[in-house]
């Protein structure tokens, strides 16, 4: 079946108990056993039918054999990092999500796992930064908030040349969603999602997901999922499943609205620079055209007038809500240097204080442009 059909049906046949069309919220911690050890489900940290449906759904959407669900995107990321032992090295994009940077630097470095950061769009730099101890290469594309694009297939080739010492290629696919980009088909080993964003899509749930094909790796991660226990509640799984049913329709509108707004901003006299993979001026526009079905709903731009100008614009919008996070139906605006990326100030990940990030929602694009227009007239 094709993506739009899978988004609605994958992992969700009518419920066996009463034929419920929507997967029920199995709000239970334990399950009756027919005889000792004879039960499909025994304890809800280990497995829950609502979660099973979500795991099967994300696997189908990523073209994967296996899916795993977690209490948050960070819990999913943590589960992957638990594969490492002291002395192992992680090579990550030099503008990874702030929470990923923080867990690598403040949690995992303390237990002897090393991390370094590289420009993932520069293949020679990636090759030079690989160490004999590199176990994971951690890629975001598009990145946050600079919307840089890394060439997943080319990175898979670079790693493939390392034979048995080949590190796992992990792609955080949160910004693109599986509708726009399918990293496993491009050679990645593991896909990570903060389902809090586009998959949930309605700013009403925190959730994380993994998708992969390798059976042995799946067994290790599934063991860790249960052993650590950062699993999502059944209601949260239900909300993500419901969100995913409209993912394809929402993403089309996110992309169309963002393209219009990016082009409008690029022509605005108060805007110095627009970062959007759908603009031909974007340095990796050609790669984005190759590996993505559309360019997504995230735009960053630098406003003339520095930090103060960025603050003025962000506080003056009325349709765009001043808020962190992204990927919901409603448009959001934020200043990364003062908000989402405050924790990486004075680090190599620090961003231009005049940078504004938009999560373009699915409202009428004319209303969104009128709102930005009035906000830029301060
Ligand atoms: C939000 C986000 C995360 C973390 O996910 P949570 O659900 O907030 O824990 C990880 N990666 C990216 C790219 C994100 O945007």
């Amino acid at each position: 079946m094709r993506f739009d059909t899978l988004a609605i049906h994958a992992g969700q046949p009518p419920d066996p108990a009463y034929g419920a069309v929507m997967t029920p919220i199995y709000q239970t911690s334990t399950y009756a056993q027919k005889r000792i050890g004879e039960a499909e489900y025994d304890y809800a940290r280990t497995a829950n039918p609502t979660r099973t449906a979500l795991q099967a759904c994300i696997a189908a959407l990523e073209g994967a054999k296996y899916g795993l669900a977690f209490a948050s995107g960070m819990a999913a990321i943590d589960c992957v990092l638990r594969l490492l032992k002291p002395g192992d090295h992680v090579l990550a994009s030099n503008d990874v999500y702030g929470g990923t940077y923080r867990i690598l630097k403040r949690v995992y470095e303390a237990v002897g796992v090393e991390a370094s950061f590289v420009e993932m769009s520069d293949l020679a730099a990636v090759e030079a930064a690989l160490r004999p101890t590199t176990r994971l290469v951690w890629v975001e594309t598009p990145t946050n908030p600079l919307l840089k694009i890394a060439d997943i297939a080319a990175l898979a080739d670079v790693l493939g040349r390392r034979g048995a010492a080949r590190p796992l290629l992990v792609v955080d696919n949160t910004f693109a969603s599986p509708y726009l980009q399918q990293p496993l088909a491009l050679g990645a080993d593991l896909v990570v999602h903060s389902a809090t964003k586009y998959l949930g899509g309605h700013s009403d749930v925190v959730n994380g997901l993994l998708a992969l094909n390798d059976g042995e790796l799946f067994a290790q991660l599934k063991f860790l999922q249960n052993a650590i226990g950062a699993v999502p509640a059944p209601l949260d799984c239900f909300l993500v499943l419901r969100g995913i049913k409209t993912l394809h329709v929402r993403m089309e509108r996110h992309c169309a609205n963002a393209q219009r707004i990016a082009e409008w901003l690029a022509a605005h006299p108060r805007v110095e620079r627009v970062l959007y993979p759908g603009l031909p001026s974007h340095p990796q526009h050609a790669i984005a055209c190759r590996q993505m079905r559309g360019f997504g709903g995230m735009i960053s731009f630098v406003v003339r007038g520095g930090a103060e100008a960025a603050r003025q614009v962000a506080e003056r919008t009325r349709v765009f809500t001043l808020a962190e996070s992204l990927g919901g139906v409603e448009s959001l605006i934020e200043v990364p240097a003062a908000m989402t990326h405050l924790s990486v100030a004075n680090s190599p990940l620090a961003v231009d204080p005049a940078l504004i990030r938009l999560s373009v929602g699915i409202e009428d694009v004319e209303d969104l442009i009128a709102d930005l227009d009035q906000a830029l007239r301060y």
Side-chain angles (χ1 to χ4, degrees):
M1 279 189 283
R2 294 181 180 81
F3 191 95
D4 300 9
T5 311
L6 293 172
I8 293 164
H9 296 291
Q12 302 155 83
D15 184 61
Y18 297 106
V21 165
M22 184 59 204
T23 304
I25 302 161
Y26 279 96
Q27 191 68 42
T28 186
S29 61
T30 190
Y31 308 83
Q33 307 193 7
K34 289 197 181 65
R35 288 194 172 76
I36 290 176
E38 200 180 299
E40 198 180 340
Y41 289 91
D42 49 28
Y43 186 61
R45 168 162 37 74
T46 312
N48 174 285
T50 319
R51 191 169 99 212
T52 302
L54 175 57
Q55 295 181 154
C57 185
I58 189 62
L61 295 190
E62 287 289 359
K65 286 205 184 106
Y66 309 105
L68 288 165
F70 297 85
S72 67
M74 287 316 302
I77 290 168
D78 179 56
C79 186
V80 176
L81 297 177
R82 299 268 182 161
L83 295 167
L84 304 176
K85 52 186 191 328
D88 287 346
H89 170 246
V90 181
L91 182 63
S93 305
N94 62 4
D95 60 345
V96 274
Y97 177 69
T100 305
Y101 180 78
R102 181 173 55 195
I103 197 171
L104 286 169
K105 296 299 285 182
R106 308 257 312 261
V107 180
Y108 279 89
E109 276 200 357
V111 294
V113 171
E114 291 171 30
S116 65
F117 302 87
V118 70
E119 176 55 57
M120 279 295 165
S121 55
D122 181 346
L123 295 174
V126 172
E127 209 152 2
L130 287 169
R131 302 178 190 173
T133 53
T134 307
R135 292 259 338 263
L136 299 179
V137 173
W138 198 280
V139 178
E140 281 177 28
T141 179
T143 63
N144 175 26
L146 300 179
L147 300 166
K148 290 189 284 196
I149 303 291
D151 188 333
I152 298 169
L155 285 167
D157 278 349
V158 167
L159 300 189
R161 279 185 241 130
R162 297 181 51 97
R166 183 181 177 283
L168 292 179
L169 180 58
V170 184
V171 176
D172 182 331
N173 205 22
T174 300
F175 268 43
S177 90
Y179 181 68
L180 299 182
Q181 172 173 284
Q182 298 187 311
L184 298 178
L186 297 166
D189 300 291
L190 187 55
V191 172
V192 179
H193 278 286
S194 169
T196 312
K197 317 294 168 51
Y198 286 104
L199 293 170
H202 296 74
S203 308
D204 56 7
V205 63
V206 171
N207 185 265
L209 300 169
L210 299 178
L212 69 158
N213 280 318
D214 185 84
E216 202 174 306
L217 184 58
F218 171 68
Q220 288 176 50
L221 291 165
K222 187 173 151 60
F223 166 79
L224 289 168
Q225 180 197 40
N226 182 51
I228 297 165
V231 293
L235 172 64
D236 293 355
C237 294
F238 169 90
L239 287 169
V240 178
L241 282 169
R242 190 172 68 167
I244 286 175
K245 286 180 194 290
T246 55
L247 178 67
H248 48 298
V249 182
R250 286 185 284 111
M251 290 315 294
E252 287 293 335
R253 180 65 83 85
H254 282 297
C255 291
N257 280 1
Q259 185 75 37
R260 263 291 304 283
I261 291 172
E263 285 166 10
W264 180 84
L265 284 169
H268 199 286
R270 300 202 79 150
V271 174
E272 196 176 294
R273 197 152 59 89
V274 181
L275 311 175
Y276 184 67
L279 293 178
S281 62
H282 187 285
Q284 294 100 31
H285 177 65
I287 302 170
C289 289
R290 264 204 317 275
Q291 79 182 8
M292 301 176 78
R293 185 200 310 232
F295 306 107
M298 300 301 296
I299 302 173
S300 290
F301 64 101
V302 177
V303 65
R304 291 188 204 285
E308 177 53 24
R311 194 179 65 82
Q312 287 278 349
V313 174
E315 291 181 354
R316 281 171 56 95
T317 56
R318 297 179 199 130
V319 183
F320 281 85
T321 302
L322 179 61
E324 299 192 0
S325 197
L326 60 114
V329 291
E330 60 289 286
S331 292
L332 305 179
I333 188 167
E334 68 123 358
V335 179
M339 296 171 66
T340 48
H341 288 63
L342 195 56
S343 68
V344 295
N346 307 317
S347 84
L349 276 74
V351 293
D352 186 335
L355 189 80
I356 294 176
R357 190 188 77 179
L358 302 178
S359 173
V360 177
I362 62 171
E363 300 96 335
D364 189 306
V365 71
E366 300 305 334
D367 289 333
L368 297 177
I369 287 175
D371 190 35
L372 291 170
D373 191 41
Q374 66 78 25
L376 281 160
R377 284 174 208 273
Y378 57 91

